C-alpha cells in the first residue's frame, strides 16, 4: 500500500469528485487544489502542512492522473517534502511513484507497476522497487504478552525489489510465481525511546545487515466484481514461500505459508456491505529475523494498535467490517461515493499452535471513513480503539 498521511487520501478522493473534466488531453486545463494537511499517527507523530493535488481526467471523465506535491512539518523528524504520482489506465493497470526527503533521517523512493490484465487478459504482471528509512519504527519484543512499557525505537533502513507473474487458469483462478529481495539494517531512531539494538541484542535480525531472497508460489481465487472497490464476491489467497537469509551461514533457509479468505455480503441495494476477512500465517525455520515473522497492528489488521505491535512466528486473525453508503456526488461526469465503516479486528500471534487461546486474542473496535471514485481510487481514514490508546491510519485502498 502507498500510504498518504492523515486525511490526505480521503481529501484527494473528495477533490476528484469536484474536478472538472478536461475536454481534450491536449488542452492542459490543470486544476490545482491547495489544502491543509493535518494528521496524527500513533508511531509517526503529528503532521501540519500543505498538499496541492493536481487532478487530471480523460475526455470521458475517468480519472487518469493524481499529482500531489506535499510539504509538512512533523513533530518527530522535522520538515518533509514529498511528491506523489499516480497513473490509472483501463483494465486496472496502475503506476505509482512516491519520493520524499525529510529533515531528520527519513528518506523514501517507491515505484510500483501493476497490470492485472497483461497480454489481453491472459496474464498478470507486477513489479516494484523501493528504498526507505523509517525513523519511527517500534519493537516490543516477540510474542503476544509483550508490554507497552517494553517499547523501543529504531530506524528501519530498507531496500526492496520484487516481481510477480501470474497465469489465469480461468476467469477467477490464477497461479503466480514471484521473487523478492529485501535488504534490512537497523539504525538509531528519531525518538527518545531506547534503541532496539541495545534493548534486544539477542533477537534475530537486530544486529548487522540482513539480506533476504524469497521465492513464492501463490494461488488466487477471486470472484469479486472489482479488484479495487468490490461490492460482491469472494477472494482466497494462499501462498508458500522459501526464503534464503544470505547473511546467515548456520540457518540460511526458512519458509512461510499463509491463507487469507475475504467474503463480501451486500445488502439487496448494495448500500451496506458486510465484509469478513480471516487470515492464517505460519513461519517455519530457525533464526528467522523478527521483521520476517508474522505481525499484528497497523492499517490492515488490529487497527487499534501501532504498526507491528505484536510479532511472532505464527498468526491467526479475523476482521469484520460493515461498509455503509452515506452520500454520492457527481460533478462534471466524475462520481464519488462516501462511506462509513464500523469494524472489529481480532487476532493473536504465537510461537507454537499449542499456545492458541481465546483469552489471548486482542480485539480492537473502530470506525472508518471512505471516499471512492470507482473503479480505481479508494481513500480512507480508520480509527481503531485499544487499551493502549487507539490509532489512526490513512491510505489509498481498503484494508482488505
Amino acid at each position: 500500500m502507498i500510504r498518504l498521511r492523515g486525511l490526505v487520501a480521503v481529501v484527494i478522493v473528495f477533490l476528484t469528485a469536484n474536478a472538472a473534466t478536461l475536454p481534450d488531453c491536449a488542452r492542459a486545463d490543470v486544476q490545482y487544489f491547495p489544502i491543509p494537511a493535518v494528521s496524527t499517527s500513533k508511531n509517526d507523530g503529528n503532521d501540519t502542512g500543505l498538499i496541492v493535488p493536481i487532478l487530471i481526467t480523460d475526455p470521458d471523465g475517468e480519472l487518469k492522473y493524481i499529482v500531489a506535491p506535499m510539504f509538512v512539518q512533523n513533530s518527530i523528524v522535522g520538515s518533509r517534502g514529498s511528491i506523489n504520482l499516480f497513473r490509472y489506465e483501463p483494465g486496472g493497470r496502475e503506476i505509482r511513484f512516491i519520493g520524499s526527503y525529510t529533515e531528520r533521517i527519513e528518506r523514501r523512493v517507491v515505484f510500483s507497476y501493476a497490470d492485472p490484465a497483461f497480454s489481453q487478459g491472459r496474464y498478470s504482471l507486477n513489479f516494484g522497487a523501493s528504498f526507505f528509512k523509517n525513523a519511527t519504527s517500534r519493537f516490543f519484543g516477540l510474542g503476544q504478552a509483550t508490554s507497552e512499557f517494553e517499547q523501543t525505537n529504531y530506524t528501519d533502513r530498507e531496500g526492496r525489489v520484487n516481481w510477480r507473474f501470474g497465469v489465469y487458469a480461468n476467469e477467477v483462478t490464477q497461479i503466480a510465481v514471484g521473487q523478492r529481495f529485501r535488504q534490512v539494517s537497523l539504525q538509531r531512531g528519531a525518538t527518545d525511546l531506547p534503541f532496539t539494538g541495545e534493548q534486544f541484542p539477542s533477537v534475530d535480525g537486530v544486529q548487522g545487515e540482513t539480506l533476504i531472497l524469497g521465492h513464492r508460489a501463490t494461488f488466487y481465487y477471486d470472484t469479486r466484481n472489482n479488484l479495487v472497490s468490490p461490492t460482491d464476491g469472494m477472494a482466497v489467497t494462499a501462498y508458500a514461500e522459501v526464503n534464503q537469509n544470505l547473511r546467515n551461514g548456520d540457518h540460511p533457509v526458512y519458509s512461510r505459508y499463509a491463507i487469507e479468505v475475504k467474503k463480501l455480503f451486500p445488502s439487496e441495494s448494495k448500500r451496506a456491505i458486510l465484509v469478513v476477512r480471516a487470515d492464517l500465517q505460519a513461519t517455519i525455520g530457525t533464526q528467522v529475523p523478527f521483521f520476517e515473522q508474522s505481525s499484528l497492528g497497523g492499517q490492515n489488521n488490529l487497527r487499534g494498535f501501532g504498526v507491528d505491535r505484536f510479532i511472532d512466528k505464527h498468526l491467526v486473525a479475523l476482521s469484520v467490517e460493515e461498509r455503509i453508503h452515506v452520500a454520492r456526488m457527481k460533478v462534471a461526469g466524475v462520481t464519488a461515493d462516501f462511506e462509513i465503516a464500523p469494524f472489529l479486528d481480532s487476532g493473536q500471534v504465537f510461537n507454537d499452535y499449542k499456545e492458541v487461546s481465546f483469552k489471548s486474542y486482542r480485539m480492537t473496535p473502530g470506525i472508518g471513513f471512505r471516499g471512492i471514485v470507482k473503479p480505481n481510487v479508494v481513500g480512507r481514514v480508520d480509527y481503531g480503539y485499544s487499551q493502549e490508546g487507539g490509532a489512526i491510519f490513512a491510505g489509498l485502498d481498503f484494508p482488505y
Side-chain angles (χ1 to χ4, degrees):
M1 178 188 72
I2 304 299
R3 184 169 69 90
L4 296 182
R5 293 179 179 270
L7 301 178
V8 171
V10 168
V11 171
I12 285 180
V13 173
F14 177 81
L15 291 176
T16 302
N18 291 277
T21 302
L22 300 184
D24 191 330
C25 290
R27 295 175 57 190
D29 186 13
V30 179
Q31 301 291 321
Y32 299 87
F33 299 89
I35 55 173
V38 180
S39 74
T40 183
S41 170
K42 191 174 184 66
N43 291 354
D44 298 333
N46 303 319
D47 283 344
T48 56
L50 184 71
I51 182 171
V52 187
I54 303 168
L55 308 175
I56 303 173
T57 60
D58 65 17
D60 296 324
E62 296 292 331
L63 178 66
K64 294 292 290 182
Y65 299 95
I66 297 176
V67 182
M70 178 167 57
F71 179 83
V72 299
Q73 182 71 27
N74 180 266
S75 59
I76 299 176
V77 294
S79 302
R80 175 187 296 116
S82 62
I83 182 73
N84 306 273
L85 306 175
F86 306 89
R87 177 175 176 175
Y88 305 100
E89 298 183 4
R93 187 183 301 114
E94 182 177 302
I95 299 173
R96 295 186 175 194
F97 173 82
I98 286 182
S100 71
Y101 184 92
T102 307
E103 182 179 353
R104 292 186 60 199
I105 303 174
E106 293 196 341
R107 311 287 184 265
R108 182 176 296 269
V109 179
V110 179
F111 172 82
S112 66
Y113 173 90
D115 187 354
F118 179 66
S119 186
Q120 300 179 342
R122 292 175 293 181
Y123 312 107
S124 69
L125 179 63
N126 301 72
F127 58 86
S130 63
F131 171 80
F132 61 88
K133 296 175 70 175
N134 180 6
T136 59
S137 298
R138 303 290 200 271
F139 183 63
F140 298 77
L142 296 174
Q144 186 76 10
T146 55
S147 167
E148 184 178 11
F149 299 104
E150 299 175 278
Q151 182 175 193
T152 63
N153 170 228
Y154 66 95
T155 292
D156 178 14
R157 183 188 185 279
E158 291 201 33
R160 299 183 182 186
V161 179
N162 65 276
W163 66 268
R164 187 179 76 238
F165 179 78
V167 178
Y168 290 99
N170 53 47
E171 292 183 353
V172 298
T173 307
Q174 180 190 151
I175 304 295
V177 295
Q179 288 181 305
R180 66 186 180 97
F181 176 78
R182 186 180 187 186
Q183 178 190 43
V184 184
S185 61
L186 273 62
Q187 302 173 347
R188 289 192 175 274
T191 75
D192 294 330
L193 292 168
F195 174 44
T196 302
E198 295 174 350
Q199 295 295 108
F200 297 96
S202 62
V203 172
D204 293 307
V206 169
Q207 302 297 337
E209 181 184 56
T210 303
L211 299 178
I212 303 295
L213 179 61
H215 318 268
R216 177 181 293 192
T218 309
F219 168 83
Y220 299 96
Y221 173 81
D222 196 343
T223 64
R224 294 175 300 170
N225 55 0
N226 187 276
L227 294 177
V228 178
S229 54
T231 58
D232 198 357
M234 176 180 182
V236 178
T237 302
Y239 72 77
E241 183 181 76
V242 176
N243 300 280
Q244 298 169 265
N245 188 343
L246 303 179
R247 296 290 193 188
N248 188 333
D250 296 329
H251 302 278
V253 178
Y254 60 94
S255 57
R256 303 197 305 178
Y257 309 89
I259 182 168
E260 180 189 52
V261 180
K262 295 178 283 189
K263 173 65 177 174
L264 292 86
F265 300 91
S267 65
E268 185 175 352
S269 65
K270 293 192 176 182
R271 296 183 65 87
I273 302 170
L274 177 66
V275 187
V276 179
R277 189 269 300 272
D279 192 10
L280 180 66
Q281 299 178 19
T283 305
I284 310 298
T286 304
Q287 296 183 355
V288 181
F290 76 91
F291 45 78
E292 282 283 294
Q293 300 183 37
S294 299
S295 72
L296 282 173
Q299 61 267 23
N300 296 327
N301 61 35
L302 222 57
R303 282 167 278 178
F305 293 95
V307 176
D308 296 336
R309 172 61 183 87
F310 302 101
I311 298 176
D312 215 326
K313 280 192 170 182
H314 315 304
L315 173 154
V316 59
L318 177 68
S319 295
V320 180
E321 180 172 286
E322 182 79 9
R323 299 170 185 169
I324 304 169
H325 183 271
V326 294
R328 170 172 290 178
M329 293 183 177
K330 187 170 184 179
V331 178
V334 177
T335 301
D337 294 300
F338 296 89
E339 300 177 346
I340 60 172
F343 63 81
L344 176 65
D345 294 340
S346 66
Q348 68 172 299
V349 297
F350 48 94
N351 186 263
D352 190 295
Y353 281 88
K354 296 178 181 178
E355 301 173 4
V356 178
S357 169
F358 182 77
K359 294 181 180 179
S360 299
Y361 275 79
R362 297 291 193 273
M363 296 190 181
T364 59
I367 189 166
F369 302 91
R370 314 286 165 73
I372 305 167
V373 176
K374 296 180 178 179
N376 291 327
V377 181
V378 175
R380 65 178 170 111
V381 173
D382 291 341
Y383 169 76
Y385 172 79
S386 74
Q387 294 179 340
E388 296 183 1
I392 298 174
F393 297 98
L396 281 175
D397 58 3
F398 284 115
Y400 47 83

